[in-house]
Amino acid sequence: MPFLVRAQNENQKTTDSESSVKYPQFQFKGLLQARYLESFGENVDVLGVHHSTGEVTQSSFDIKRMRVGLNTKLSEATEVVILVNLADFKSDPKSKVLENAYGKYTFNKYIALTGGQFRPAFGIEELVPVDIIKSFDFSNQYYEFGKNGWTSFQIGASASGAFDIGKIPVSYAVSVLNGNGKNQEMDNDNGKQYSTRWVFELSKLHKINLGLNGGIGKRSDQKVFALGADVTSDFKLTDRFTFDLQIEYKQGTNHSLYFSLPADTRTSNVDDYQMRGVYFLPNLRYVVDYKKLTSLELSCRFESFDNNYKINSNVRKTYTPMVSLEFGKAYLGRIEMGFEIDRYDKNIPDTSFYNDDLFLIQLQLRL
């Protein structure tokens, strides 16, 4: 009898605890990324554009991001997320500024539904905020696949969840998107893009995950596709040293490039215009915990990307060595310094397809 009474009391406490949670709950977030840039490329400006006239800005301070966000929990299962980047006002803000604007309802661990403007799961970088990546910015392939509607901020709906296959944890996401970028009044054609991502946790100890991505769709009655595979791992070498590695490959139709060309200068088949890329991002982290300095990190991403390898191949190889000082927990404060080194198979004067050596110092503060 005492056991029954105790059990009833514990159940009552749990119920009271759950009912005492007040909604809505608000969480404000912010991010500042301020940079100093200096280009050492011959007649190449800080944005990577070559100028044959020689009149070029080769050093500048810049605000890369000034983000303000609000996460609102309306109930235990319902949340609304808003994120804006105020730094976009420094140029034409049309189709910019607003980044996340979505609602999410979680039924259980197996399925959750998301609708609005969000970053659809289609690779490693889509699931990681830019303020905790191991390099200055996302990869070249991330932005190019974003132009083509597969990554970055898109408008649509998604279902996601997780389950186990035997002893292997699996997470998934299935998305349907307009595919024409963020902050658009409406879809610019009747085509939609359908994509999916599956992640298999192969090792819990070393956090080895295998990701598989695929997508199909239609853009202006032309069939398009994208695919990719990636591997992540995180090894604890000692109590203070850890080593993590990201490897990602993507390939797909570059319909953004295809439709930007005059009709008389392109082929009749959009499938002739394809992009592909691969990058390796190793990162070595040493935990310092000395006064306000939390850790020291060394990384060097190597990326090979070609935005039109079938018709007019011009491979861009990018090396991004970087050293990072972390202050506080979870990158609360961060100072990064390094280079972005671009090498093209063919230099094209007066364009951004030109060899460049860009030096960066970046200050990051987040809350």
Side-chain angles (χ1 to χ4, degrees):
M1 191 68 169
F3 172 77
L4 179 59
V5 173
R6 188 165 56 250
Q8 289 175 337
N9 289 337
E10 288 176 354
N11 289 336
Q12 183 64 41
K13 288 179 181 178
T14 301
T15 304
D16 291 343
S17 176
E18 290 176 351
S19 63
S20 66
V21 177
K22 302 297 183 181
Y23 294 101
Q25 297 177 346
F26 302 97
Q27 181 183 19
F28 292 92
K29 295 184 177 181
L31 170 67
L32 169 66
Q33 287 182 335
R35 310 185 298 174
Y36 171 75
L37 312 171
E38 184 161 354
S39 172
F40 291 95
E42 186 175 354
N43 295 329
V44 178
D45 66 23
V46 294
L47 299 179
V49 179
H50 176 261
H51 300 262
S52 57
T53 61
E55 298 176 1
V56 52
T57 300
Q58 292 195 291
S59 65
S60 178
F61 290 97
D62 176 46
I63 302 296
K64 177 66 175 178
R65 291 178 177 89
M66 181 60 247
R67 281 177 167 168
V68 179
L70 173 64
N71 290 18
T72 304
K73 291 274 294 185
L74 300 180
S75 69
E76 186 178 0
T78 310
E79 62 180 308
V80 176
V81 177
I82 299 171
L83 179 67
V84 296
N85 181 18
L86 302 180
D88 282 336
F89 281 110
K90 66 188 178 184
S91 59
D92 184 0
K94 185 179 180 181
S95 76
K96 297 180 181 179
V97 185
L98 182 63
E99 296 184 332
N100 277 330
Y102 66 85
K104 183 176 182 180
Y105 186 87
T106 302
F107 292 91
N108 48 50
K109 79 166 191 173
Y110 303 107
I111 184 167
L113 299 180
T114 302
Q117 182 168 287
F118 57 95
R119 296 170 66 198
F122 199 80
I124 301 170
E125 296 173 295
E126 288 68 46
L127 303 177
V128 179
V130 71
D131 41 318
I132 63 172
I133 61 173
K134 308 300 183 180
S135 196
F136 288 110
D137 206 344
F138 293 125
S139 64
N140 301 322
Q141 63 172 253
Y142 171 83
Y143 287 110
E144 201 67 30
F145 276 78
K147 292 178 185 177
N148 286 275
W150 302 109
T151 64
S152 192
F153 300 97
Q154 304 292 334
I155 300 175
S158 178
S160 59
F163 57 89
D164 294 338
I165 298 179
K167 295 183 178 181
I168 300 178
V170 179
S171 60
Y172 75 92
V174 179
S175 305
V176 54
L177 311 165
N178 284 342
N180 60 322
K182 63 183 180 180
N183 303 332
Q184 302 298 322
E185 184 176 1
M186 59 182 173
D187 196 359
N188 57 4
D189 61 13
N190 288 319
K192 295 293 181 288
Q193 292 178 212
Y194 305 86
S195 65
T196 185
R197 174 170 172 79
W198 295 79
V199 179
F200 303 86
E201 186 179 301
L202 304 182
S203 171
K204 191 175 186 67
L205 176 62
H206 300 302
K207 299 181 182 179
I208 300 176
N209 295 324
L210 170 65
L212 301 175
N213 314 285
I216 57 173
K218 274 192 173 183
R219 302 303 300 168
S220 299
D221 294 327
Q222 293 271 12
K223 293 182 179 179
V224 298
F225 82 95
L227 56 85
D230 52 77
V231 176
T232 61
S233 62
D234 194 346
F235 295 89
K236 187 173 183 178
L237 305 179
T238 69
D239 288 340
R240 290 184 176 270
F241 277 106
T242 57
F243 175 79
D244 59 86
L245 176 66
Q246 297 177 7
I247 304 173
E248 183 165 16
Y249 172 84
K250 279 195 180 84
Q251 179 178 336
T253 313
N254 195 341
H255 49 273
S256 175
L257 172 63
Y258 177 82
F259 290 115
S260 71
L261 299 172
D264 59 349
T265 65
R266 68 191 189 202
T267 70
S268 60
N269 187 3
V270 69
D271 201 45
D272 291 334
Y273 295 79
Q274 290 190 28
M275 54 187 171
R276 64 181 177 187
V278 62
Y279 74 80
F280 302 84
L281 177 52
N283 182 75
L284 183 64
R285 175 183 175 89
Y286 176 71
V287 177
V288 179
D289 278 339
Y290 178 72
K291 294 186 178 181
K292 295 182 180 181
L293 181 61
T294 305
S295 72
L296 171 68
E297 294 191 59
L298 299 172
S299 70
C300 184
R301 181 171 61 204
F302 166 74
E303 180 177 10
S304 177
F305 183 76
D306 195 338
N307 76 331
N308 189 15
Y309 74 88
K310 279 191 169 185
I311 296 288
N312 186 22
S313 177
N314 190 10
V315 177
R316 176 185 184 181
K317 294 181 179 178
T318 304
Y319 307 84
T320 313
M322 186 186 83
V323 58
S324 172
L325 301 176
E326 178 190 5
F327 300 90
K329 301 296 182 183
Y331 296 135
L332 183 66
R334 198 178 185 191
I335 298 175
E336 304 153 307
M337 182 172 60
F339 285 87
E340 287 182 356
I341 303 167
D342 281 323
R343 294 293 181 267
Y344 288 90
D345 283 351
K346 296 175 290 186
N347 279 330
I348 303 176
D350 297 310
T351 71
S352 60
F353 297 89
Y354 209 90
N355 292 348
D356 184 30
D357 302 300
L358 181 67
F359 173 72
L360 300 94
I361 299 177
Q362 181 165 285
L363 168 66
Q364 175 178 294
L365 300 171
R366 66 194 297 257
L367 57 92

